[in-house]
């Protein structure tokens, strides 16, 4: 039966292609007769009676044939098949692009149906085996990385359109909700317990309600805001709130949230730092004036010291927060290139806190900048491209024009073509500098000022925590000169010449490549001008503490170290001349002739160390040793007992230099003098009785340990720079045991002290014990490297360390770097382990949470290991000269790949990045030195401009305020110089070129 009865069940004829054959004609005629019989049946249907005549009339009018053809209608109807009813068009098939004669088919278009395979048959499914992505330390757990394969579903061919299965089952979700409800009950019952709030935050982050990311983050922020009401100054809660807000909202909205918190608690350094980085660390919001406005508000609030709801006379001690903000503000100005404003601010801070002090060394002198004009003319006449000329002139002016102009009189005008940026008045910087409320914080302020001028002051981790705290929030210093502290303040003179030499050369090469003007590095033009400025600043700081002898000696000591550092740098660069030595000795002796410095034994020790550093390895050490003998004779004539720590430091340093020059007998005599607390020379009986000397030294050590129990846990800042009697006594005792071939006893003594009196648990509650423990680890490292010898023989051929001592040294350094990650002595020694497998050496640096210091020491380790050691062995140069000229290039390329992989390890693009590396990246991403080193490694013929440009854009997005990054970008990606200059002008970075000069450059 038909679906539509009105049509009588008729079926349309099939679509047959029209042909002229007889068979098709007969078939069409037969089908036409049958179709006509059935098709006329619809006219007899009752439902069509009313409209039958009308339809027939319309049909006749529209399709009536001409009169002369009406007789032929019946004849033609049998020959031609009737037109079938209209049907829906079928889908046309693809036209095949080949002829019937071709024996193959060319498929020029892909078939997307083959890309949607949901599953594969079991026999054809590939069996993936988990493999180790890279070498790791087997003793560390990396969350089952070896047993699980991480599949990238975005790039997987067969899994592109397959939804990933949820790992959380409904039962687990119910358990999670139950646990969250229980935690909320605990929070409501005991809101004072911080652990409940932290647990609730973690449970909300696991998303038990299966909500979107925004809803989850808002729930976490609401919970943390309630937690801050109960714990307003808790560092952990504040960090969680800032991290959650930064990951949820844009920087502008994050700044508004932080400002709301600051209204309730304006004395939180963490909140001020987060507000600053929300503006400074965002490319869209970074602007010099906006950031400085935040610093102005914060410093004014710290100076007031009270809120609107408290009594104005009940002010808080906000000097520690003010010092940190002052240091960050000075770093920001230096990194932006505004050296003139920075030095003007430093000058005002120095003069404001000391009555009557005039710091004239931080004011420009026109006569000393005359050579700048000559160098500029040489560059302009060189014929180089204008972009290169602009870059070099900019660096030249940055090296010479860093100081502000002195205060001009009313008659002098400012339209004489001078740089108006160098006219910094007191009103321009007074909003960022306020007098300290407590005079005991002046030393801290002056040390921060010295450190901002790139003088390497910090070598130990404890001092770095005191001066440069919380590197994760604001970022570390970008000055690579800070790593030169190991050359200015050596922890010992007993070291292997090979390891120390290779590391020093690699360190100096890195400092030369990454240093930025103005700097005291001798390879820069204008370095002598900056050297005099810094030296004068140190002497002015010592004058400010004329009535505080301990503080005054600290800056004189830093001045000696700075002079010795310049000497070592020039010696390594082979630029040390007799004229420079003569002038340096004249300045040192002129300083020692002053009345207040004549009787300070520590200063004469620094003079002897200066003379010792000036010597070559095979030269006569008499000039340095004569200074020590002069001090010994002078102190013996004064009849003063050897209990002063400065005198003990003289003897210990003299003994270490004697050991380094293979004079073991003389060194042992000096050490016995310290143990007996008697001046040299000793009687033959006293010299022969070593056991009595060791017993006496142990009594001194026990006495100092007893005094340590009653000492204050917090150290004064002066104690970080003065000699410690306990450490010097232990040093003398252990070195004496080593020279008597009893190094095991010294090892046992140090182990016992590190486990009992100076344990790690005690160091967490006492800053003093923590500092002594760090210094004791350095001493233990030195003892393990002292060669064993017999007293009857001089140290003509130092013996090599045994396998046991090498293994102990590795374990000691791993323990030390875990506790004190910013100790440069430990980092430097770990970088010189060339016999240790590379993956273990690299893994230890990555796990060391030292920020940029650990990364740079890892770079130095790669250079020492793969370049300097092979070049100094001689085998590489011989092979290059004879049969393998490509070997040198291969070694350099291998070292380059190692270093590049170091930087790419921490990037988010690394699919195998561990949690420790991700945590380290949060610190490194805000340090421009990390990105500049990465760009430096990519600036060779093996890297395309596109890759360098990509890294540059990423770096600028993370550090948009650093001028050195823009200048390096102009060097490595020169085709983007115009865009870089536009961004520098937009961010208000300091550009020394005049407006007219920039217009000429743009027109070129």
């Amino acid at each position: 039966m038909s679906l539509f009865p009105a049509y009588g069940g008729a079926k349309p004829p099939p679509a047959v292609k029209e042909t002229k054959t007889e068979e098709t004609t007969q078939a069409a005629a037969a089908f036409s007769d049958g179709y006509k019989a059935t098709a006329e049946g619809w006219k007899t249907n009752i439902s069509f009676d009313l409209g039958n005549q009308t339809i027939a009339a319309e049909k006749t009018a529209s399709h009536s044939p001409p009169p002369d053809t009406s007789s032929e209608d019946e004849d033609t109807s049998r020959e031609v098949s009737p037109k079938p009813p209209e049907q829906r068009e079928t889908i046309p098939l693809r036209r095949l692009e080949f002829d019937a004669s071709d024996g193959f088919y060319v498929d020029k278009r892909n078939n997307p149906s083959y890309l949607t395979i949901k599953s594969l048959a079991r026999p054809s499914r590939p069996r993936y085996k988990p493999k180790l992505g890279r070498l790791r330390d087997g003793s560390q757990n990396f969350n089952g990385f070896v047993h699980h394969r991480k599949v990238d579903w975005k790039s997987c061919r067969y899994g592109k359109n397959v939804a990933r299965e949820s790992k959380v089952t409904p039962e687990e979700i119910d358990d999670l909700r139950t646990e969250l409800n229980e935690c909320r009950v605990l929070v409501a019952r005991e809101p004072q317990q911080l652990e409940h709030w932290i647990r609730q935050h973690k449970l909300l982050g696991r998303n038990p309600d299966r909500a979107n990311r925004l809803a989850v983050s808002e729930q976490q922020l609401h919970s943390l805001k309630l937690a801050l009401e109960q714990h307003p100054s808790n560092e952990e809660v504040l960090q969680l709130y800032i991290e959650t807000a930064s990951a949820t909202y844009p920087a502008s909205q994050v700044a508004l949230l932080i400002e709301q918190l600051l209204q309730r608690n304006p004395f939180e350094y963490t909140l001020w730092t987060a507000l600053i980085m929300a503006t400074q660390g965002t490319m869209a919001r970074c602007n010099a004036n906006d950031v400085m406005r935040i610093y102005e508000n914060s410093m004014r609030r710290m100076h007031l010291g009270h809120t609107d709801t408290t009594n104005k006379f009940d002010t808080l001690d906000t000097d520690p927060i003010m010092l940190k903000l002052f240091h960050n503000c000075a770093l920001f100005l230096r990194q932006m290139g505004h050296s003139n404003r920075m030095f003007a601010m430093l000058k005002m801070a120095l003069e404001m806190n000391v009555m009557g002090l005039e710091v004239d060394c931080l004011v420009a002198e026109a006569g000393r900048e005359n050579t700048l004009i000559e160098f500029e003319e040489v560059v302009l006449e060189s014929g180089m491209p204008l972009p290169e000329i602009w870059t070099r002139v900019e660096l030249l002016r940055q090296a010479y024009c860093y100081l502000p102009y002195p205060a001009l009189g009313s008659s002098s005008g400012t339209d004489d073509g001078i740089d108006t940026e160098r006219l910094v008045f007191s009103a321009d910087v007074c909003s960022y500098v306020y007098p300290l409320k407590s005079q005991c914080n002046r030393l801290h302020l002056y040390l921060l000022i010295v450190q901002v001028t790139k003088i390497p002051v910090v070598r130990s981790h404890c001092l770095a925590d005191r001066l440069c705290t919380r590197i994760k929030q604001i970022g570390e210093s970008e000055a690579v000169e800070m790593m030169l502290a190991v050359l200015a303040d050596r922890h010992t003179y007993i070291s292997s010449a090979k390891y120390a030499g290779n590391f020093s050369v690699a360190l100096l090469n890195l400092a030369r490549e990454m240093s930025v003007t103005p700097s005291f590095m001798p390879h820069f033009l204008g370095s002598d001008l900056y050297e005099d400025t810094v030296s004068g600043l140190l002497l002015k700081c010592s004058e400010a503490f004329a009535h505080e002898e301990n503080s005054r000696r600290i800056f004189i000591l830093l001045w000696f170290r700075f002079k010795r550092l310049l000497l070592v740098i020039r010696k390594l660069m082979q630029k040390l001349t007799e004229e420079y030595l003569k002038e340096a000795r004249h300045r040192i002796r002129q300083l020692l002739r002053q009345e207040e410095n004549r009787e300070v034994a520590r200063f004469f020790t620094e003079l002897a160390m200066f003379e010792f550093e000036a010597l070559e390895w095979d030269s006569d050490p008499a000039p340095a040793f004569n200074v020590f003998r002069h001090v010994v004779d002078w102190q013996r004539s004064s009849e003063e007992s050897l209990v002063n720590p400065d005198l003990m430091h003289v003897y210990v340093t003299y003994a270490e230099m004697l050991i380094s020059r293979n004079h073991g007998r003389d060194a042992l005599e000096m050490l016995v003098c310290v143990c007996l607390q008697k001046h040299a020379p000793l009687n033959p009986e006293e010299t022969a009785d070593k056991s009595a000397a060791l017993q006496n030294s142990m009594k001194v050590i026990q006495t100092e340990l007893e005094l340590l129990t009653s000492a204050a846990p917090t150290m004064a800042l002066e104690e970080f720079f003065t000699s410690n009697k306990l450490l010097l006594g232990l040093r003398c005792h252990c070195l004496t045991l080593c020279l008597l071939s009893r190094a095991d006893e010294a090892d046992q003594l140090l182990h016992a002290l590190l486990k009992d009196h100076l344990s790690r648990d005690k160091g967490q509650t006492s800053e003093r014990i923590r500092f002594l423990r760090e210094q004791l680890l350095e001493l233990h490292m030195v003892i393990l490297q002292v060669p064993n010898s017999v007293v009857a023989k001089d140290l003509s051929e130092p013996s090599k360390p045994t396998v046991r001592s090498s293994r102990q040294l590795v374990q000691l350094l791993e323990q030390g770097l875990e506790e004190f990650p910013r100790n440069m002595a430990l980092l430097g020694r770990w970088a010189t382990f060339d016999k240790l497998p590379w993956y273990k050496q690299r893994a230890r640096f990555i796990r060391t949470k030292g920020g940029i210091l650990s990364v740079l020491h890892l770079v130095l380790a790669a250079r020492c290991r793969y370049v300097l050691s092979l070049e100094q062995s001689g085998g590489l140069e011989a092979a290059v000269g004879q049969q393998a000229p490509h070997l040198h290039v291969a070694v350099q390329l291998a070292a380059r790949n190692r270093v590049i992989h170091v930087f790419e390890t921490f990037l988010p693009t690394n699919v195998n990045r561990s949690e420790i590396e991700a945590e380290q990246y949060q610190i490194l991403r805000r340090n421009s030195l990390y990105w500049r080193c990465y760009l430096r490694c990519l600036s060779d013929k093996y890297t395309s401009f596109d890759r360098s440009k990509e890294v540059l854009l990423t770096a600028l997005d993370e550090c948009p305020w650093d001028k050195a990054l823009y200048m390096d970008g102009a060097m490595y990606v020169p085709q983007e110089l115009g865009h870089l200059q536009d961004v520098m002008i937009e961010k208000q970075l300091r550009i020394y070129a005049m407006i007219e000069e920039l217009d000429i450059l743009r027109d070129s």
Side-chain angles (χ1 to χ4, degrees), residues 42-321:
W42 68 275
K43 297 181 181 181
T44 61
N45 197 316
I46 303 175
S47 61
F48 289 90
D49 289 341
L50 295 177
N52 189 13
Q53 299 178 357
T54 305
I55 295 174
E58 292 179 358
K59 184 178 180 181
T60 304
S62 58
H63 298 285
S64 59
D68 53 349
T69 60
S70 60
S71 60
E72 301 176 359
D73 188 26
E74 293 181 355
D75 299 335
T76 58
S77 63
R78 296 179 180 180
E79 297 177 0
V80 183
S81 61
K83 185 177 181 180
E86 296 182 357
Q87 298 292 325
R88 183 178 298 176
E89 295 183 359
T90 60
I91 299 175
L93 299 177
R94 178 187 293 181
R95 182 176 178 272
L96 300 178
E97 298 182 1
F98 65 95
D99 196 3
S101 59
D102 296 337
F104 59 91
Y105 167 59
V106 181
D107 188 3
K108 296 185 177 180
R109 295 184 180 179
N110 59 345
N111 194 345
S113 62
Y114 294 112
L115 298 179
T116 58
I117 299 177
K118 295 184 179 180
S119 63
L120 293 177
R122 183 172 297 277
S124 61
R125 183 182 298 132
R127 296 179 178 179
Y128 295 102
K129 295 182 179 180
K131 296 182 179 180
L132 196 62
R134 60 185 180 186
L135 292 175
R136 293 187 182 271
D137 191 357
S139 62
Q140 299 297 324
N141 184 15
F142 289 91
N143 298 327
F145 173 75
V146 181
H147 304 286
H148 299 281
R149 177 178 178 267
K150 186 176 181 180
V151 181
D152 188 4
W153 293 96
K154 294 183 180 179
S155 60
C156 185
R157 177 181 179 183
Y158 299 114
K160 184 177 295 185
N161 297 327
V162 179
R164 298 184 62 181
E165 298 180 358
S166 178
K167 297 182 179 180
V168 182
T169 60
E171 293 79 6
E172 293 178 352
I173 294 178
D174 295 339
D175 296 341
L176 183 61
R177 291 175 179 173
T178 303
E179 186 178 0
L180 179 59
N181 293 332
E182 294 177 356
C183 184
R184 286 174 176 171
V185 172
L186 292 176
V187 166
R189 186 181 303 169
E190 300 176 353
Q192 294 80 15
Q193 295 295 329
L194 181 63
E195 294 80 7
H196 299 333
W197 293 103
I198 303 299
R199 182 187 173 195
Q200 182 182 6
H201 174 77
K202 294 180 179 179
L203 292 175
L204 288 174
R206 296 173 63 181
N207 194 6
D209 298 330
R210 304 291 98 183
N212 55 17
R213 187 175 65 87
L214 180 61
V216 173
S217 300
E218 288 180 348
Q219 289 180 358
Q220 289 180 316
L221 289 175
H222 178 70
S223 174
L224 292 174
K225 188 175 292 185
L226 295 178
L228 286 174
E229 295 179 358
Q230 301 293 332
H231 309 275
S233 299
N234 186 268
E235 186 68 25
E236 187 176 1
V237 178
L238 289 173
Q239 286 294 334
L240 288 175
Y241 186 87
I242 294 170
E243 292 175 1
T244 307
S246 301
T248 307
Y249 301 115
S252 58
Q253 194 167 354
V254 173
L256 294 177
L257 293 176
I258 297 175
E259 288 177 356
Q260 294 176 3
L261 295 179
L262 283 172
Q263 291 178 358
R264 295 186 298 178
N265 191 1
F267 305 108
E268 278 298 330
Y269 173 73
T270 303
L271 295 178
W272 283 111
T273 305
L275 180 61
I276 291 169
M277 291 307 298
T279 303
Q280 177 181 338
T282 308
M283 173 61 78
R285 292 169 52 86
C286 181
N287 188 281
N289 292 337
D290 295 342
V291 177
M292 294 303 294
R293 190 177 300 111
I294 300 177
Y295 277 113
E296 179 181 354
N297 297 334
S298 63
M299 296 295 287
R300 183 175 63 252
R301 176 66 73 174
M302 295 303 112
H303 176 64
L304 293 176
H306 61 82
T307 60
D308 298 335
T309 58
T310 59
N311 190 359
K312 294 183 179 181
F313 297 99
D314 298 337
T315 58
L316 301 176
D317 184 16
T318 57
D319 281 353
I321 305 177

Side-chain angles (χ1 to χ4, degrees), residues 328-399:
N328 296 341
C329 182
L331 277 182
F332 174 74
L333 290 176
R334 188 182 73 185
Q335 295 168 2
M336 290 280 288
H338 294 282
S339 300
N340 308 125
R341 296 174 63 182
M342 184 198 74
F343 279 102
M345 188 174 70
L346 298 183
K347 182 176 180 295
M348 177 172 287
L350 291 170
E351 297 177 350
M352 184 178 293
N353 290 277
V354 177
M355 186 66 66
L357 182 65
E358 294 183 3
V359 190
D360 52 355
C361 60
L362 299 183
V363 178
E365 297 180 9
R368 306 191 63 180
E369 301 177 6
N370 293 332
T371 55
L372 172 63
I373 302 175
E374 300 177 2
F375 290 129
E376 284 187 2
E377 291 179 356
V378 173
V379 174
L380 294 175
E381 296 174 358
S382 61
M384 294 183 294
L386 287 181
E388 182 67 21
I389 291 177
W390 174 80
T391 303
R392 299 203 177 191
V393 171
E394 184 74 15
L395 294 177
L396 270 176
R397 295 178 180 176
Q398 186 173 302

